[in-house]
Amino acid sequence: MTAEMTGASRREILKTATASGLVLSFAVVGKGQAQTAGGAAQPINAYVRVAPDGIVTIVNKNPEIGQGIKTMLPMLIAEELDVSWDQVRIEQADNDPKAYGRQFAGGSMATPLHWEELRRVGAVARAMLVQAAATAWNCPAGECSTTPGVVVHASTGRKATYASLATQCANVSVPDPKTLPLKDPKDYKIIGRAIAQYDTPKIVTGQPLFGIDVRRPGMLYATYEKAPVFAAKVAGADLAAAQAVKGVRKAFVVAGDSNALQPAAGQIGAGLLPGVAVVADTWWAAKKGRDKLNVKWEDHPTSKQSSEGFAATARELAAGKPQRTPRNDGDVDAALKSAAKTVEASYSYPFLAHAPMEPQNCTAEWKDGKLEIWAPTQNPEPGRQLCAKTLGIKPEDITIHMTRCGGGFGRRLANDYMVEAAWIAREAGAPVKLVWTREDDMRHDIYRPAGFHFLRGGVDAQGNLVAFHDHFVSFGEGANFAPSAGMGPTEFPARFVPNCRIDVSVMPLGVPTGPLRAPGSNALAFVMQSFIDELAHAANADPLAFQIKLLGDKPVVGEAPAAYAAGRMVGVLKAVGEMSGWANRTKLPKGEGLGVACYYSHLGYFAEVAHVAVSPAGEVKVKKVWVAADVGRQIINPHGALNQVQGSVLDGLSEALHQQITIVGGAAQQSNFHDYPLMRINEACPVEVKFLKTDFPPTGLGEPALPPAIPALTNAIFAATGKRVRSLPITPEMLKA
């Protein structure tokens, strides 16, 4: 790769390695840019700056939502750059697709997308520093090596720090990243080390990091009232009463778009919905003004929808002919008739809210036809595009600063709060911070969709699963599912049962839905793994052994990208059985039980065992959960990895034990943590984790540990009580003796 230079004191080069999707930008900055305590820091590339005092600043490209990405991604760069971690400082990038490619947090994709790419970023920077030293010493670069932060020429004993070489990198041609060797894992000094999250000291000392902490000169505060029935239009509001409140500057109706719940291509969630904005000197004044609005809303068709109505419609659809059949292997009906034992069961799960600790918020500043935004977003570029389209401006006239997110779980993949703040700031003529109330956050979420499964299964006399049928009733229109409401034709145990049929019927939905941590999988695992446990008991089989037998002896079933590595799942099942003392489960006291479940999602293979105790009053106490995980050959940051797995398990248990959103009259009924409780610390159980290192590329950990936690819990409850949980959340009334 060659470098085209222009100018004497300021040079900019943009290089793209198209084969890897790697984008590197190189520059020597002018006065006043990129300052550190040691003076002006010289950029080696878009990700790396080296200061005269030896401090190396590494940029984190993706949003940090608590998953540890701000620490983990720079670790990859630092490893191949060969610097000491205590010399590293980390900065959060702004949204800049030209420099960093796609920037988002979701799908547990940070590791698989960046494992090689960002190591090569570090390798490129190291190679340029080595070349700069070799040029100065008039020797071949191949004769030079590095120790942390230093280039060494062994034969002459010459040494040069990265700090002394950084400015010379502007004159070095950028090597092709693909040609550079990467470290042997045995030589890792940073990858594989347990490193605390970079921002933890700032978080525990209350320093401003989050979107809700942003302050701008002359900033006003805003609230935004939307209809309880999703997407209903404003029929009238008492703007004068709101504006009479002390501190309120302005109140106005936003016509919005009643079709904004139908996301455009590339978008998730809603656009600018109709509502009423109140802008004030303080947020409390804006809230008091909003309370005086007395908004009247137009009628909307969604007002006829309810959770009870959805359940009734699902039963009607299940009793009739399915609308489509995505999978039909063998002859299910004949296999059920000839089976030694059959089981029929109906399963359901509710809508769920994301409930992040930090409510949705955004600060926006409109000036001279351009927009500047500070937002806790998981998906900044679609937010930029949404704001540009809605405000009728060019995307390049919008700057987005990514703040740390106080939780995301998929909610902040949608950018409705961003476009609301942008619109209000333009109307207000001043910087505006929009902050949703907790009630706004709960009642205007992009919900995990509810769903209904009507199942039949059969086992033969040898205990083999020979027939499986699911009539899945969900939401959508025609052949399309509502967002995150679908199920694919390869959902396990499909492909492992000779006679397997998956039928689908859908009903219309006016409630906004979208991804929640482990989208789809967080619900489907509960259904499939609970029903497989039912079938194991029908076969008088050990549930763990039944799963291993079902997986069979083929290492991999199916073709990429839908391949299922059955051998990897067998490995984690055997491991979790050993960890939990599964073989001794019958020796537990009365009212206690172990349950097992496994699930593949987000490229990770997980098996989990839960130990529960259930009181005669139906109260559930989770005593411990064991997790065996296979996410490939390398755990980048064991500290962060453990946090993610343990957090995912507790998140899943919280969903199962407490959480549901019910729809009545087209509106969400729950409004805050009093009626949408999350797991408290006194309910949290120990979670023991074991990572099986296998010869596969490393994959993500933000989501795949959650899905099997729920059926492991419900299967353990059955083992303890003999009562089968087929709907969520779990209540004491279900389990009373």
Side-chain angles (χ1 to χ4, degrees):
M1 299 175 71
T2 60
E4 179 183 350
M5 303 286 188
T6 59
S9 63
R10 184 167 183 165
R11 306 169 186 181
E12 293 186 351
I13 311 165
L14 184 67
K15 288 292 172 188
T16 304
T18 56
S20 66
L22 178 65
V23 180
L24 303 173
S25 68
F26 299 82
V28 175
V29 297
K31 184 178 180 181
Q33 293 180 307
Q35 295 296 309
T36 71
Q42 302 298 330
I44 307 302
N45 59 40
Y47 293 85
V48 178
R49 299 198 310 270
V50 181
D53 61 0
I55 294 296
V56 177
T57 298
I58 299 179
V59 174
N60 169 51
K61 62 168 281 189
N62 278 358
E64 172 61 69
I65 60 173
Q67 82 282 43
I69 220 71
K70 189 174 180 179
T71 306
M72 187 273 281
L73 292 183
M75 287 174 66
L76 300 177
I77 296 172
E79 182 66 74
E80 293 294 340
L81 177 59
D82 198 9
V83 293
S84 174
W85 186 252
D86 60 7
Q87 294 297 104
V88 170
R89 304 295 181 266
I90 302 174
E91 288 185 1
Q92 177 62 54
D94 286 337
N95 182 50
D96 187 350
K98 290 183 179 179
Y100 301 109
R102 188 180 176 197
Q103 298 166 270
F104 73 103
S108 297
M109 292 304 294
T111 296
L113 287 177
H114 299 105
W115 165 246
E116 181 171 329
E117 177 185 287
L118 291 187
R119 285 187 299 145
R120 292 197 180 279
V121 166
V124 166
R126 176 182 172 276
M128 293 178 68
L129 289 160
V130 167
Q131 184 59 59
T135 299
W137 297 334
N138 195 27
C139 70
E143 294 182 1
C144 300
S145 61
T146 61
T147 59
V150 178
V151 179
V152 178
H153 188 241
S155 63
T156 62
R158 286 177 291 190
K159 297 181 180 181
T161 65
Y162 287 0
S164 69
L165 297 167
T167 58
Q168 300 171 48
C169 287
N171 300 312
V172 173
S173 296
V174 184
D176 181 351
K178 287 290 188 180
T179 66
L180 300 176
L182 298 176
K183 281 187 179 180
D184 189 301
K186 67 180 175 57
D187 297 323
Y188 288 161
K189 300 182 180 72
I190 295 173
I191 292 173
R193 269 178 58 189
I195 295 176
Q197 284 203 33
Y198 184 75
D199 283 338
T200 297
K202 292 183 178 180
I203 292 170
V204 299
T205 56
Q207 297 183 47
L209 285 169
F210 300 91
I212 208 165
D213 297 325
V214 173
R215 300 288 187 273
R216 298 293 299 159
M219 186 180 78
L220 302 176
Y221 294 81
T223 60
Y224 192 58
E225 175 95 351
K226 295 190 288 288
V229 177
F230 305 101
K233 295 180 179 180
V234 178
D238 193 345
L239 302 179
Q243 291 175 152
V245 172
K246 184 179 179 181
V248 171
R249 298 287 192 95
K250 193 173 185 179
F252 53 93
V253 172
V254 178
D257 181 3
S258 59
N259 295 315
L261 290 180
Q262 306 300 322
Q267 297 289 339
I268 293 174
L272 182 63
L273 288 167
V276 185
V278 179
V279 181
D281 294 330
T282 65
W283 185 85
W284 187 245
K287 170 68 166 60
K288 289 174 68 177
R290 172 178 167 171
D291 292 342
K292 299 288 186 181
L293 285 170
N294 192 27
V295 184
K296 306 298 182 186
W297 304 99
E298 293 185 4
D299 291 336
H300 192 278
T302 300
S303 65
K304 297 181 175 62
Q305 296 184 353
S306 68
S307 293
E308 287 188 2
F310 294 141
T313 301
R315 290 191 294 270
E316 293 173 4
L317 289 170
K321 183 180 179 181
Q323 295 169 3
R324 60 184 187 272
T325 300
R327 186 173 204 97
N328 192 5
D329 298 333
D331 189 334
V332 168
D333 293 331
L336 285 169
K337 287 180 180 179
S338 62
K341 291 185 180 178
T342 60
V343 179
E344 292 192 23
S346 300
Y347 279 78
S348 64
Y349 41 85
F351 293 97
L352 291 181
H354 295 79
M357 289 295 100
E358 179 191 26
Q360 309 314 312
N361 66 89
C362 180
T363 300
E365 187 168 337
W366 175 268
K367 188 176 181 180
D368 300 328
K370 295 188 177 182
L371 183 65
E372 193 166 5
I373 287 173
W374 293 260
T377 174
Q378 292 180 240
N379 211 11
E381 184 57 25
R384 186 212 302 266
Q385 299 298 327
L386 177 63
C387 290
K389 180 180 179 181
T390 305
L391 273 64
I393 60 177
K394 297 177 181 178
E396 53 266 32
D397 288 336
I398 301 175
T399 300
I400 296 181
H401 306 285
M402 292 187 290
T403 68
R404 189 180 176 102
C405 302
F409 316 110
R411 174 59 180 91
R412 288 183 161 101
L413 289 167
N415 289 291
D416 43 343
Y417 52 94
M418 187 189 293
V419 74
E420 289 171 3
W423 187 277
I424 294 169
R426 185 173 69 173
E427 293 295 312
V432 168
K433 180 193 286 187
L434 170 70
V435 180
W436 287 21
T437 66
R438 180 67 63 192
E439 290 77 11
D440 292 335
D441 210 31
M442 202 72 76
R443 289 178 168 166
H444 289 283
D445 204 341
I446 312 295
Y447 302 100
R448 194 285 301 276
F452 308 86
H453 296 256
F454 300 86
L455 299 151
R456 298 183 297 159
V459 294
D460 64 15
Q462 290 73 45
N464 299 302
L465 180 56
V466 294
F468 186 91
H469 175 224
D470 181 12
H471 189 165
F472 175 39
V473 180
S474 187
F475 302 97
E477 294 184 11
N480 297 317
F481 287 109
S484 298
M487 181 176 74
T490 59
E491 182 67 31
F492 186 81
R495 300 183 292 181
F496 292 84
V497 185
N499 304 284
C500 179
R501 188 167 80 241
I502 297 175
D503 294 326
V504 171
S505 297
V506 296
M507 50 187 153
L509 180 67
V511 177
T513 60
L516 181 144
R517 192 177 196 173
S521 304
N522 54 44
L524 297 175
F526 158 61
V527 173
M528 300 303 176
Q529 285 291 300
S530 295
F531 191 59
I532 288 172
D533 195 76
E534 290 201 52
L535 292 164
H537 283 279
N540 294 317
D542 171 348
L544 193 152
F546 186 83
Q547 292 262 20
I548 292 173
K549 184 178 182 181
L550 176 59
L551 287 161
D553 56 6
K554 290 184 179 180
V556 179
V557 173
E559 302 292 332
Y564 188 107
R568 298 176 72 181
M569 191 63 84
V570 168
V572 293
L573 279 165
K574 289 180 177 179
V576 83
E578 294 172 2
M579 293 167 63
S580 62
W582 178 262
N584 298 317
R585 67 192 182 283
T586 58
K587 300 177 182 178
L588 292 172
K590 183 180 179 181
E592 296 188 21
L594 296 186
V596 65
C598 62
Y599 203 76
Y600 165 70
S601 70
H602 298 86
L603 305 178
Y605 292 82
F606 280 73
E608 302 178 16
V609 169
H611 178 191
V612 305
V614 183
S615 74
E619 297 291 341
V620 176
K621 173 67 176 178
V622 186
K623 303 189 75 171
K624 188 170 182 178
V625 174
W626 294 265
V627 181
D630 180 351
V631 289
R633 68 176 66 97
Q634 181 66 58
I635 302 299
I636 298 167
N637 183 356
H639 180 84
L642 181 63
N643 287 347
Q644 284 302 294
V645 173
Q646 291 177 331
S648 292
V649 168
L650 296 178
D651 202 356
L653 298 178
S654 181
E655 291 175 7
L657 291 168
H658 298 304
Q659 295 164 220
Q660 67 173 332
I661 291 290
T662 52
I663 305 299
V664 176
Q669 296 304 289
Q670 290 70 26
S671 63
N672 211 314
F673 293 132
H674 71 284
D675 54 6
Y676 192 86
L678 306 184
M679 177 178 280
R680 297 298 185 95
I681 194 167
N682 65 312
E683 299 174 275
C685 65
V687 179
E688 182 180 330
V689 182
K690 180 178 182 179
F691 294 106
L692 278 62
K693 292 189 177 181
T694 56
D695 194 21
F696 295 92
T699 56
L701 275 168
E703 294 164 285
L706 187 154
I710 300 173
L713 168 63
T714 57
N715 294 339
I717 288 171
F718 177 79
T721 66
K723 297 179 183 292
R724 185 63 70 176
V725 175
R726 297 193 180 103
S727 65
L728 299 175
I730 301 162
T731 65
E733 288 71 26
M734 294 177 177
L735 307 178
K736 284 181 180 178

